């Protein structure tokens, strides 16, 4: 028996003031909870749960946790090392104004940022409506009928367009993707990374060239306006590409499209870009909501999430996620994308920005920017400078003539102004919403040019001026006053269940407290007002933050190197596998492309492996949900000369610490492979064991799970990877072009979603090593407590060696279908009537529920959830006994919104009270589902994914 380790004991009243606020279980709760489980101490329980051979035998070297005031002061000194200059760099990133009503009521509001992905649509109608508004915004401005609910960044969206074009291409053997040279350089860099493992030849082309290399090409990407500001019609080039059988993607700017002819009207098949300048802070590169719009025929290939319109059991309009939202997971290695997330919180901000300003307000903002660019351009021309492009929207490229570029640099630095410097000696200036008349004067001073009065007119191509209307739906017409918008946003918020309402017990998703002190710094201008491509000396605070956070995560995981760049868990998976691929290639073993993946793995795992150019081979699991070690060994031997990697989740996808983990890793290493560990379940390991110690070579971490970045209603997230020393040289580069063994960038910004990294830095700093370790132990305690309380009513499907689970448990509801005709979905919907979001439904095993209570919940909240589940089981027992009708019962008709309760006469054989108030706590506070049960099948048969499209009446 391992001796008691001090990190599980903590004085919650003295040195760790924040720990007691983060952890919901008090010392007074422990005896009762441990007694139920049959253990005398928390240490004894942990020793029984985690295999002793992998236990960390020392405290984490992270120091003691700080109080909130001290931690914020420490972070403030770091933030002040960043220098916020006026940036006119452009490249798809712009300063903008986040309206205060949106900043306070969306971006900084836990009712919006602590909600989960809207898989349980009846209690997520607010977010779904905001996302439908976002889709409408994108569809209207691009003039393409289908738009998704956002992607991770513009470069990722372009890469997704590339793979969609490849998969849709009818020409056999076509492997060339043509990319205009005037696209944003970070987009080109990410495309190079994504193209290589798929065998795609990326061909930069001159969009003004007379003849493009069409042979064996499947797609073309154009930038409109171009990265250096040029606005020219792509219509002829699009038509020529179509004649050759290519699909054409146009990367574009939503604000520019209020003035310019949209891509859909020019013939484009796909439009991508970023909605960042619609009120989302620069944040040193992210998070920002990218967009992806396309034609109807590609709706089933669309990456990411799509919000669609359907109706509920009462015939009301109701929204839910449609089509491919789950199809990509189901397809596994046949998936066309590994992206299972979105940038929901940022898409909501962008949509509300458009709602607030409306079409006329957006057009006025665009016209004001353009007029200031016209004044700047005319003044520079009058002073003898050359404009590379006579027609532009907001960006100028300027030839300096006799002005030495170094002199301009010195003048700009003295004025604390950032410009874009091209390799040929020219300079770029991108204006934005925040640019004032004085800013234009200050810019002209750098060139020694006086402003030219009354320049007037515009510099848009006459043939490209937008004629079509947009954003005509009432939602973009009615909320232009702050009072009106405030009420609209709060109406939507009231339709969503978030952590402000109750616990969200989702397995594998770790919905824990996102403390206010952790969230405050994301609004500091030193963090959220930096352009991602400012000179490094202006971002020294960020550099220190990155270095400290990397060191913290390295200590927690046992890895030697960390990359913070991946901006989602899916991107972390992909980056980790690319690192492994590059490692094998560096050793002269490019044939090592087989990736072993257990049948229980997340659906993103096989999709990521295929994107990384690997062949997926499934490994069986045994009856307990563990990896079948014999099958693993046999397949590792069979593919020994081609074995590249094993992808494994630990604790297992079934919520159990597999005792053979060291043996599993040794088998893979014996045959020359590398072990990739999915870090989705890291909340069960922090401070107690480390993947780098027991055999993993690579691991991605979900900072939006274990390390307190909130889920934001389905995004943002951050998915950094840790690697052992031998893989460190291959981590993603922060440069646009690799200069060594690195794999190239996987996201548009060098440091991914940099502006939300302070949240995780704060969490670790507040908790300290001892607090983090105790949090993990309490998470494990809570999961076992819930499992023990519920096991008499619902069998716990998988357990470890001592009959215990890790930080989550799976309840088997499959027998209920036979005994009472009750599906797992019926229980999920009935939980809404009790005021709870359902646990993870039908994953990893169909017909089950996976519960993860986290360390942040109080014992009272755990008991309330358990009481709800037990009460539902009693309702099921009444069906089994013939007391309740097998079809007309509270579960089959759940959830029961207020409108349903108002029916007269009441049509059901149970009372209104049973329907709406089945538990005593509901009389004190009742969360009402906004709609009744939604008809998903109808919504997919009659796909409507924008609020501009008329809704047909439900079928009778």
């Amino acid at each position: 028996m391992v001796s008691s380790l001090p990190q599980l004991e903590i004085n919650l009243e003295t040195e760790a003031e924040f720990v007691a606020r983060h952890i919901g279980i008090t010392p007074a709760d422990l005896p009762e909870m441990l007694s139920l489980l049959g253990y005398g101490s928390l240490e004894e329980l942990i020793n029984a749960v985690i295999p002793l051979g992998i236990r960390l035998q020392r405290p984490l070297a992270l120091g003691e946790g700080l109080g909130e005031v001290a931690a914020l002061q420490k972070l403030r000194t770091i933030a002040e090392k960043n220098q916020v200059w006026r940036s006119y760099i452009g490249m798809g990133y712009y300063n903008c104004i986040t309206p205060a009503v949106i900043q306070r009521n969306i971006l900084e509001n836990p009712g919006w940022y602590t909600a989960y992905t809207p898989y349980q649509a009846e209690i997520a109608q607010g977010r779904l409506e905001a996302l439908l508004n976002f889709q409408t915004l994108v569809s209207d401005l691009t003039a393409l009928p289908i738009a998704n609910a956002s992607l991770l960044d513009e470069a990722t969206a372009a890469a997704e367009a590339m793979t969609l074009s490849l998969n849709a291409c009818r020409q056999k053997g076509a492997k060339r993707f043509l990319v205009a040279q005037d696209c944003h350089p970070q987009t080109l860099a990410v495309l190079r990374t994504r193209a290589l493992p798929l065998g795609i030849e990326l061909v930069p082309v001159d969009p003004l060239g007379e003849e493009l290399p069409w042979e064996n090409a499947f797609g073309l990407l154009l930038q409109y306006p171009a990265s250096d500001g040029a606005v020219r019609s792509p219509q002829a080039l699009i038509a020529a590409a179509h004649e050759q059988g290519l699909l054409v993607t146009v990367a574009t700017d939503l604000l520019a499209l209020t003035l310019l002819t949209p891509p859909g009207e020019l013939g484009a098949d796909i439009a991508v870009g970023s909605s960042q300048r619609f009120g989302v802070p620069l944040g040193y590169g992210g998070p920002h909501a990218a967009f992806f719009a396309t034609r109807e025929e590609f709706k089933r290939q669309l990456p990411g999430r799509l919000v669609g319109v359907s109706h509920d059991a009462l015939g009301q309009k109701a929204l839910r996620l449609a089509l491919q939202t789950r199809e990509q997971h189901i397809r596994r290695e046949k998936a066309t994308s590994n992206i299972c997330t979105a940038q929901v919180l940022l898409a909501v901000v962008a949509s509300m920005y458009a709602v607030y300003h409306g079409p006329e307000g957006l057009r006025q903002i665009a016209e004001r920017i353009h007029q200031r660019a016209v004044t700047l351009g005319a003044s520079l021309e009058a002073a003898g400078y050359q404009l590379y492009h006579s027609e532009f929207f907001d960006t100028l490229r300027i030839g300096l003539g006799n002005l030495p570029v170094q002199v301009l640099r010195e003048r700009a630095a003295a004025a604390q102004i950032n410009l874009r410097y091209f390799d040929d000696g020219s300079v770029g200036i991108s204006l934005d919403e925040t640019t004032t008349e004085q800013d234009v004067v200050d810019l002209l001073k750098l060139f020694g040019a006086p402003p030219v009065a009354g320049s007037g007119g515009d510099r848009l191509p006459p043939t490209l001026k937008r004629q079509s209307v947009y954003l005509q739906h009432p939602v973009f017409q009615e909320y232009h006053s702050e009072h009106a918008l405030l009420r609209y946003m709060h109406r939507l918020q009231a339709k969503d269940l978030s952590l402000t309402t109750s616990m969200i017990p989702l397995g594998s998703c770790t919905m824990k407290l996102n403390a206010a002190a952790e969230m405050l710094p994301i609004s500091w201008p030193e963090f959220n007002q930096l352009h991602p491509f400012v000179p490094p000396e202006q971002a020294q605070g960020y550099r220190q933050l990155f270095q400290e956070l990397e060191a913290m995560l390295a200590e927690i995981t046992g890895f030697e190197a960390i990359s913070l760049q991946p901006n989602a868990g899916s991107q972390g998976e992909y980056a980790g596998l690319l690192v492994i691929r590059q490692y094998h290639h560096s050793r002269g073993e490019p044939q090592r492309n087989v990736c072993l993946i257990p049948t229980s793995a997340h659906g993103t795992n096989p999709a990521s492996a295929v994107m990384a150019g690997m062949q997926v081979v499934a490994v069986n699991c045994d009856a307990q949900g563990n990896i079948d070690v014999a099958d693993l060994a046999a397949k590792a031997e069979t593919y020994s000369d081609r074995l590249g990697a094993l992808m494994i989740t630990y604790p297992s996808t079934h919520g159990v610490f597999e005792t053979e983990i060291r043996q599993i890793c040794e088998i893979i290493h014996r045959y020359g492979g590398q072990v990739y560990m999915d870090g989705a379940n890291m909340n069960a390991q922090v401070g107690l064991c480390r993947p780098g110690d027991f055999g993993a070579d690579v691991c991605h971490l979900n900072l939006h799970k274990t390390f307190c970045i909130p889920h934001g209603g389905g995004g943002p997230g951050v998915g950094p990877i840790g690697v052992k020393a031998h893989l460190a040289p291959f981590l993603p580069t922060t440069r646009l072009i690799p200069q060594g063994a690195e794999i190239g960038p996987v996201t548009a910004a060098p440091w991914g979603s940099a502006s939300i990294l302070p949240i995780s830095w704060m969490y670790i700093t507040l908790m300290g090593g001892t607090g983090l370790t105790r949090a993990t132990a309490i998470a494990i305690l809570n999961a076992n407590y819930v499992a023990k309380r519920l096991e008499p009513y619902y069998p716990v499907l998988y357990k470890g060696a001592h009959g215990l689970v890790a930080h989550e448990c799976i309840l088997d509801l499959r027998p209920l279908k036979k005994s009472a005709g009750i599906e797992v979905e019926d229980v999920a919907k009935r939980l809404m009537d009790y005021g709870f979001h359902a646990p993870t439904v039908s994953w990893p095993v169909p017909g089950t529920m996976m519960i993860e209570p986290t360390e942040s919940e109080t014992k009272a909240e755990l008991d309330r959830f358990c009481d709800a589940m037990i009460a539902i089981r009693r309702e099921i027992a009444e069906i089994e006994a013939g007391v309740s009708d097998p079809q007309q019962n509270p579960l089959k008709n759940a959830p029961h919104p207020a409108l349903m309760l108002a029916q007269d006469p009441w049509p059901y054989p149970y009372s209104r009270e049973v329907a709406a108030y089945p538990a005593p706590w509901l009389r004190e506070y009742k969360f009402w589902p906004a709609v009744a049960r939604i008809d998903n099948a109808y919504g997919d048969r009659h796909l409507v994914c924008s609020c501009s499209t008329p809704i047909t009446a439900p079928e009778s």
Side-chain angles (χ1 to χ4, degrees):
M1 181 66 70
V2 176
S3 61
S4 181
L5 295 176
Q7 62 260 39
L8 293 189
E9 303 302 326
I10 190 166
N11 185 340
L12 297 180
E13 298 175 355
T14 56
E15 73 274 15
E17 65 170 270
F18 178 79
V19 177
R21 296 173 184 169
H22 177 81
I23 296 176
I25 303 302
T26 69
D29 297 323
L30 285 177
E32 180 184 346
M33 298 176 73
L34 289 167
S35 176
L36 179 69
L37 297 170
Y39 290 90
S41 70
L42 191 55
E43 179 68 24
E44 187 181 343
L45 171 67
I46 297 304
N47 286 342
V49 171
I50 301 181
L52 299 182
I54 66 169
R55 278 292 299 275
L56 182 62
Q57 296 297 305
R58 61 169 178 82
L60 288 174
L62 294 174
E64 290 298 327
L66 297 182
E68 292 182 9
V69 172
L72 285 168
Q73 288 175 340
K74 183 177 181 181
L75 187 57
R76 175 65 77 180
T77 63
I78 295 174
E80 288 172 351
K81 296 179 182 179
N82 291 329
Q83 301 174 43
V84 183
W85 291 17
R86 285 178 287 175
S87 289
Y88 304 98
I89 299 170
M91 296 170 63
Y93 297 95
Y94 299 87
N95 284 304
C96 61
I97 297 169
T98 306
V101 64
I102 296 175
Q103 176 172 322
R104 184 175 179 86
N105 294 286
I106 300 287
L107 195 62
E108 299 175 348
N109 183 349
W112 286 93
Y113 66 67
T114 70
Y116 181 60
T117 305
Y119 289 142
Q120 296 294 333
E122 292 84 355
I123 51 176
Q125 289 296 295
R127 258 167 307 138
L128 288 165
E129 182 171 331
L131 290 175
L132 190 72
N133 294 344
F134 178 82
Q135 292 177 180
T136 304
L137 164 69
V138 172
S139 182
D140 275 17
L141 288 180
T142 62
L144 286 163
I146 299 285
N148 70 10
S150 78
L151 286 176
L152 304 175
D153 57 35
E154 181 171 342
T156 301
E160 294 291 332
M162 177 177 70
T163 53
L164 188 155
S165 300
L166 175 65
N167 291 320
C169 179
R170 298 191 179 102
Q171 299 182 55
K172 290 185 177 180
K175 278 289 190 176
R176 305 179 87 190
F177 189 62
L178 311 183
V179 184
Q181 294 170 343
D182 56 11
C183 288
H184 294 315
Q186 69 272 18
T187 298
L188 292 169
V190 171
L191 285 171
R192 279 192 291 267
T193 302
R194 290 282 287 267
L196 185 62
L198 297 176
I200 295 172
E201 181 188 357
L202 204 67
V203 183
V205 296
D206 180 359
L208 297 178
E210 292 187 6
E211 187 64 31
L212 269 60
W214 302 115
E215 187 178 359
N216 294 323
F218 62 84
L220 169 67
L221 173 66
L222 304 172
Q223 190 92 41
Y224 169 77
S227 185
D228 66 355
V231 176
R232 49 181 171 259
S233 176
Q235 198 161 13
L237 197 51
I238 292 172
H242 284 163
E243 287 181 8
Q244 300 293 329
L246 282 71
L247 294 186
V248 179
T249 298
V250 172
T252 189
D253 178 333
L254 291 179
L255 194 59
L257 295 183
T258 65
L259 304 180
L260 296 174
T261 302
E265 294 177 13
L266 297 171
D269 303 290
I270 302 168
V272 299
S274 172
S275 64
Q276 177 266 316
R277 68 190 310 177
F278 277 42
V280 181
L282 281 166
Y284 203 42
H288 304 142
F291 62 85
F292 190 112
T294 188
R295 295 194 274 117
E296 284 271 0
E297 66 188 88
F298 302 122
K299 61 190 178 186
R300 288 191 176 272
Q301 286 79 46
L302 195 69
R305 299 182 187 142
L306 182 68
V307 175
V309 181
S310 186
H311 62 82
D312 72 357
L314 301 177
Q316 298 182 100
K317 173 184 171 181
L319 310 177
R320 87 281 181 256
L321 295 177
L323 293 179
Q324 78 299 326
T325 295
R326 287 195 179 274
E327 287 178 10
Q328 294 288 6
H329 280 72
I330 295 167
R331 292 175 190 166
R332 297 175 66 81
E333 67 271 17
K334 295 180 181 178
T336 56
S337 170
N338 75 335
I339 291 180
C340 64
T341 187
Q343 296 281 26
V344 171
L345 187 67
L346 298 316
V348 170
V349 169
S351 75
M352 290 302 174
Y353 180 92
V355 167
Y356 195 33
H357 289 292
E360 290 306 313
L362 293 177
R363 187 178 184 91
Q364 288 170 9
I365 292 170
E367 287 175 340
R368 185 167 62 247
I369 294 170
H370 180 61
Q371 282 304 312
R372 286 180 178 152
V374 169
T375 297
L376 179 65
S379 301
L380 289 170
E381 285 181 316
Y385 293 96
Q386 173 202 359
L387 296 189
Y388 273 49
H389 310 294
S390 60
E391 295 174 319
F392 50 81
F393 166 55
D394 62 3
T395 297
L396 308 177
R397 186 170 180 178
I398 305 146
L400 297 184
N402 295 325
L403 176 63
V405 68
Q406 187 57 36
V407 171
L408 180 65
R409 282 181 179 271
E410 291 170 359
R411 292 176 183 174
Q416 294 194 332
I417 288 174
N418 291 315
L419 306 176
R420 181 179 177 186
Y421 299 95
F422 290 90
D423 291 340
D424 68 352
S426 60
V427 172
I429 301 177
S430 293
L431 306 187
D432 55 57
E433 180 187 12
T434 69
T435 305
T436 65
E437 291 181 1
Q438 184 59 50
D439 290 327
V440 174
V441 171
D442 292 345
L443 285 166
L444 289 171
K445 285 180 182 177
L446 303 181
F447 295 85
V452 173
S455 54
D458 65 53
R459 293 289 191 96
L460 302 175
T463 59
L464 286 180
K465 291 184 180 181
R466 182 161 191 154
Q467 304 299 317
S468 57
V469 297
Y470 48 86
L471 304 185
Q472 297 302 296
H473 189 275
V475 75
F476 298 104
Q477 309 291 328
E478 297 177 354
Y479 306 112
H480 300 165
S481 75
E482 179 169 334
H483 219 158
L485 183 69
L486 176 70
R487 288 172 176 162
Y488 177 60
M489 291 188 297
H490 275 265
R491 283 202 300 273
L492 296 191
Q493 180 186 331
K495 296 179 181 181
D496 277 20
L497 189 147
S498 69
L499 284 177
T500 64
T501 305
S502 62
M503 71 181 288
I504 300 179
L506 287 151
S508 193
C509 288
T510 317
M511 300 290 292
K512 63 169 71 178
L513 170 71
N514 314 117
E518 297 159 6
M519 302 299 296
L520 286 174
I522 69 169
S523 294
W524 294 352
E526 296 90 345
F527 284 135
N528 75 14
Q529 294 299 318
L530 260 67
H531 191 285
F533 298 116
V534 299
E537 58 269 20
Q538 294 176 29
Q540 289 304 302
Y542 261 121
R543 187 54 51 93
Q544 181 178 340
L545 177 82
F546 299 154
Q547 291 172 345
E548 292 186 6
L549 185 56
E550 288 170 5
M552 293 168 174
L553 296 176
E555 167 63 12
I556 289 167
T557 60
F559 291 111
E560 282 76 26
I562 304 286
S563 170
L564 299 171
Q565 189 180 112
N567 56 3
S570 59
Q571 299 300 88
E573 290 181 16
Y574 177 66
L577 291 171
L578 286 187
V579 166
I580 291 173
R581 179 183 184 275
Q582 190 79 340
Y583 167 75
H584 288 313
H585 278 246
S586 75
R587 290 162 56 87
E589 297 183 299
Q591 81 284 358
R592 289 195 173 275
N593 66 342
V594 168
C595 187
L596 304 180
I597 301 181
T599 54
S600 63
H602 293 76
T604 55
N605 285 182
S608 295
V610 171
M611 286 173 56
M614 293 184 166
Q615 175 190 339
V616 174
V617 173
V619 176
N620 296 330
C621 293
D622 62 22
Q624 287 72 46
N626 301 320
I627 288 180
D628 184 331
V629 178
D631 186 55
L632 173 76
K635 285 171 177 169
E637 183 176 9
T638 298
Y639 295 99
S640 58
D641 61 333
R642 295 179 53 214
L643 181 60
L646 165 72
M647 295 189 81
I648 182 174
T649 301
Y650 198 76
S652 76
T653 309
H654 295 116
V656 174
F657 280 95
E658 299 182 53
T659 56
E660 299 89 354
I661 183 63
R662 284 190 182 275
Q663 179 186 354
I664 289 168
C665 295
E666 288 167 0
I667 290 170
I668 299 303
H669 291 149
R670 184 188 316 152
Y671 292 104
Q674 297 286 286
V675 176
Y676 174 94
M677 199 190 87
D678 185 317
N681 293 342
M682 194 68 197
N683 209 47
Q685 292 191 56
V686 177
L688 300 176
C689 58
R690 307 194 305 174
D693 293 343
F694 56 72
D697 300 290
V698 186
C699 175
H700 91 264
L701 303 169
N702 296 100
L703 298 192
H704 49 287
K705 296 181 182 182
T706 306
F707 296 98
C708 281
I709 292 175
H711 281 65
V718 182
I721 56 174
V723 298
K724 298 297 287 182
H726 65 283
L727 296 179
F730 310 105
L731 286 172
T733 182
T734 56
R735 297 178 288 265
L736 293 178
I737 299 176
Q739 295 178 0
E742 311 109 318
I743 60 171
V746 296
T747 59
W751 301 99
S753 292
S755 68
I756 55 176
L757 293 177
I759 301 170
S760 295
W761 184 97
M762 278 290 293
Y763 172 62
I764 297 171
T765 301
L766 288 163
M767 294 291 283
T770 305
L772 289 172
T773 305
R774 185 172 178 87
T776 307
I778 295 296
I780 292 171
L781 168 69
N782 288 353
N784 281 282
Y785 177 76
V786 169
K788 191 71 172 180
R789 277 209 63 193
L790 294 181
E791 189 169 28
Y793 307 92
Y794 306 91
V796 176
L797 195 54
Y798 300 110
K799 298 178 183 178
H802 297 279
L804 299 166
V805 298
H807 66 314
E808 57 194 5
C809 61
I810 298 177
L811 303 184
D812 192 356
L813 276 65
R814 292 173 296 184
L816 301 177
K817 183 175 183 179
K818 184 176 182 180
S819 67
I822 293 298
E823 307 272 1
V824 66
E825 182 183 22
D826 299 325
V827 177
K829 303 308 180 188
R830 183 57 171 158
L831 271 169
M832 297 176 188
D833 291 328
Y834 284 81
F836 285 103
H837 193 292
T840 301
V841 171
S842 285
W843 187 85
V845 181
T848 67
M849 283 186 166
M850 176 182 267
I851 301 169
E852 181 180 349
T854 86
E855 73 275 9
S856 294
E857 300 301 338
T858 64
K859 181 176 180 295
E861 186 72 354
L862 298 182
D863 284 331
R864 195 166 69 91
F865 172 74
C866 290
D867 290 345
M869 289 293 291
I870 293 167
I872 290 172
R873 185 62 184 90
R874 292 191 185 112
E875 293 176 345
I876 296 169
E878 291 182 353
I879 301 171
E880 293 168 329
V883 176
S884 290
D885 186 279
Q887 293 303 320
Q888 294 299 327
N889 59 67
L891 283 91
K892 285 295 183 183
N893 291 322
H896 297 82
L899 182 62
M900 194 172 183
L901 270 293
Q903 294 179 95
D904 199 11
W906 177 249
Y908 306 111
Y910 50 92
S911 70
R912 286 182 170 92
E913 182 178 26
V914 167
Y917 292 96
W921 62 79
L922 297 168
R923 297 184 179 279
E924 181 180 346
Y925 172 73
K926 168 75 176 176
F927 176 85
W928 288 96
V931 295
R933 194 174 304 196
I934 297 173
D935 186 340
N936 292 315
Y938 174 85
D940 282 349
R941 289 196 308 270
H942 307 85
L943 183 65
V944 173
C945 57
S946 80
C947 54
S948 296
T949 310
I951 310 301
T952 57
E955 294 174 338
S956 58

